[in-house]
């Protein structure tokens, strides 16, 4: 079944890869993005990769998720069947320094979107949530029923939106909502044409490590080598961005096919890799030595964060298909071909 979809934040890292997957599945897309931390070039390359016929099924509305008029314009562009909501701010450190901005964009923007959905009788939504909600987990792997204990403003905004969606879904019949809690999205499209292009200094390990490998930065900082883990460095669940894109597509298909419901699912591999394991895998993929320096732990970091993804497998028939070697291979293909990200097209 071909659907007409609104993708908020569709030019971003996860949004652009999901747009590609959805176009390949035959859907029509209206993308709303203000390019605050993304580039129109990403969408041009999505169209390039899907070919001229699919490219005509993508419309772009340049605008802010907080703008009532911009969101209304996106809904007027086509009769929208469902929304995939990626638009938001995501840097933990920045959220600590600018909490009002994070609440305004992440929560205020979602409120504006939900109002427009109600106005246009659209009740199907896939929301981009985060494993940041779990804070310091009591058990690993982490199941969806684990307590929510966000430890920074970014995590608080994601928890607030999940609460809001629960209340909205309970307020009237007909809502189909999936909140997808990502673990650590990494990698790139295997073509090397699409990838993560953070503006300024990357706040996440993988893009920073990639930039060290390509020579843009001198040294990787490893925050702590005295954690209670096999090699003393932090352990995380890394998920290839194309596996994540396929997870969104699967969640959308289940929402449309099944009766109205609120689905909350972890999207992760269920396998943990340490910082030093990731460094070694990236060195193997790139053929480059990656110098690193161990520094003090960062406040707010936990030693281990790994998903229990069994519910997503049971409900969506989805699981990750790409491992650490593919993550590093595709990440290096992107970074080596695009050392400046999307460059002047930004």
């Amino acid at each position: 079944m071909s659907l007409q979809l609104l993708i908020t934040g569709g030019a971003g890292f996860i949004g652009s890869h999901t747009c590609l997957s959805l176009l390949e599945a035959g859907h029509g897309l209206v993308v709303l993005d203000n390019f605050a931390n993304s580039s129109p070039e990403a969408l041009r390359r999505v169209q390039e990769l899907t070919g001229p016929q699919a490219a005509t099924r993508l419309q772009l509305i340049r605008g802010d998720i907080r703008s009532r008029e911009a969101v209304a314009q996106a809904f007027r562009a086509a009769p929208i069947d469902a929304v995939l909501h990626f638009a938001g701010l995501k840097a933990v450190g920045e959220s600590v320094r600018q909490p009002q901005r994070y609440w305004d964009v992440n929560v205020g923007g979602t409120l504006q979107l939900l109002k427009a959905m109600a106005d246009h009788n659209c009740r199907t939504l896939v929301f981009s949530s985060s494993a940041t909600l779990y804070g310091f987990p009591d058990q690993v792997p982490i199941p969806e029923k684990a307590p929510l204990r966000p430890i920074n403003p970014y995590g608080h905004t994601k928890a607030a939106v999940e609460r809001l969606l629960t209340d909205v879904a309970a307020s009237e019949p007909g809502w189909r909502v999936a909140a997808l809690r990502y673990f650590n999205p990494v990698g790139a499209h295997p073509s090397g044409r699409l990838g993560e292009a953070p503006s300024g200094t990357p706040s996440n390990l993988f893009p920073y490590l990639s930039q060290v490998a390509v020579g843009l930065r001198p040294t990787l900082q490893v925050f702590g080598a005295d954690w209670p883990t096999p090699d003393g460095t932090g352990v995380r669940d890394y998920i290839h961005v194309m596996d994540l894109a396929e997870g969104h597509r699967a969640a959308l298909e289940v929402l449309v096919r099944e009766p109205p419901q609120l689905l909350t699912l972890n999207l992760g591999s269920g396998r943990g890799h340490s910082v030093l394991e990731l460094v070694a895998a990236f060195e193997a993929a790139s053929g480059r030595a990656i110098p690193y320096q161990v520094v003090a732990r960062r406040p707010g970091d936990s030693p281990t964060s790994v998903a229990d993804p069994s519910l997503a497998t049971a409900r969506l028939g989805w699981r990750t298909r790409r491992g650490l070697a593919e993550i590093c291979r595709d990440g290096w293909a992107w970074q080596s071909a695009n050392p400046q990200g999307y460059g002047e097209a930004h």
Side-chain angles (χ1 to χ4, degrees):
M1 181 199 314
S2 176
L3 300 171
Q4 192 67 47
L5 307 171
L6 171 59
I7 317 293
T8 72
F13 175 43
I14 299 163
S16 60
H17 288 78
T18 304
C19 284
L20 182 68
S21 181
L22 293 169
L23 285 174
E24 288 175 343
H27 301 303
L29 311 183
V30 177
V31 172
L32 175 66
D33 206 303
N34 69 350
F35 305 113
N37 190 27
S38 61
S39 169
E41 175 67 9
L43 295 175
R44 194 193 67 75
R45 293 190 187 188
V46 165
Q47 292 175 305
E48 169 197 296
L49 288 164
T50 50
Q53 192 173 3
T56 61
R57 289 189 269 109
L58 190 155
Q59 301 179 66
L60 171 63
I61 307 293
R62 186 166 193 152
D64 194 298
I65 188 70
R66 294 167 293 178
S67 163
R68 180 177 180 178
E69 176 51 35
V71 178
Q73 186 184 351
F75 274 93
R76 288 196 300 267
I80 301 297
D81 298 307
V83 177
L84 287 88
H85 180 29
F86 298 99
L89 302 173
K90 63 173 188 174
V92 168
E94 183 181 67
S95 79
V96 174
R97 296 188 298 274
Q98 302 178 30
Q100 297 98 321
R101 182 168 169 245
Y102 271 65
W103 279 82
D104 185 32
V105 174
N106 293 0
V107 181
T110 304
L111 277 167
Q112 198 63 253
L113 176 65
L114 289 169
K115 288 176 191 172
M117 289 180 69
D119 289 345
H120 292 84
N121 199 31
C122 178
R123 299 286 189 280
T124 304
L125 174 68
V126 179
F127 171 59
S128 172
S129 193
S130 170
T132 309
L133 293 179
Y134 297 120
F136 302 113
D138 294 330
Q139 65 184 101
V140 177
I142 306 167
E144 287 86 354
K145 66 179 185 293
L148 302 188
R149 299 176 185 141
I151 54 177
N152 53 63
Y154 167 67
H156 292 144
T157 65
K158 290 295 187 183
V161 172
E162 283 204 17
R163 180 71 256 173
L164 171 62
L165 294 177
T166 301
D167 291 345
V168 167
S171 70
E172 60 174 340
W175 281 91
R176 295 170 158 86
V177 177
L180 305 181
R181 295 173 179 168
Y182 317 156
F183 278 67
N184 291 69
V186 287
H189 190 263
S191 66
R193 298 290 289 155
L194 276 185
E196 188 168 12
S199 56
T201 304
S203 57
N204 295 325
L205 171 63
F206 192 84
Y208 200 104
L209 177 146
S210 304
Q211 291 186 7
V212 172
V214 85
L216 290 176
R217 300 186 184 277
T219 309
L220 175 70
Q221 290 189 324
V222 176
F223 296 102
D226 55 351
W227 296 100
T229 61
D231 64 17
T233 63
V235 169
R236 296 291 181 269
D237 186 335
Y238 296 101
I239 173 172
H240 195 295
V241 66
M242 289 309 301
D243 281 325
L244 192 54
E246 289 162 10
H248 285 80
R249 189 163 126 186
L252 174 68
E253 289 167 359
V254 164
L255 289 182
V256 171
R257 185 171 67 239
E258 295 185 359
Q261 63 183 305
L262 174 61
L263 261 178
T264 302
L265 299 172
N266 287 336
L267 293 188
S269 70
R271 294 180 298 277
H273 296 285
S274 74
V275 174
L276 294 186
E277 278 185 90
L278 182 59
V279 168
F282 207 93
E283 286 181 331
S286 65
R288 304 277 183 95
I290 297 173
Y292 67 87
Q293 175 188 11
V294 175
V295 297
R297 295 181 183 185
R298 280 184 306 196
D301 275 352
S302 59
T304 304
S305 177
V306 177
D308 176 353
S310 56
L311 188 58
T313 300
R315 292 295 288 109
L316 307 182
W318 170 92
R319 58 169 50 86
T320 59
R321 298 188 294 122
R322 301 157 179 92
L324 199 60
E326 290 92 340
I327 283 168
C328 293
R329 177 199 68 200
D330 295 343
W332 177 243
W334 156 255
Q335 188 68 74
S336 57
N338 303 270
Q340 303 298 331
Y342 291 109
E344 292 181 2
H346 188 82

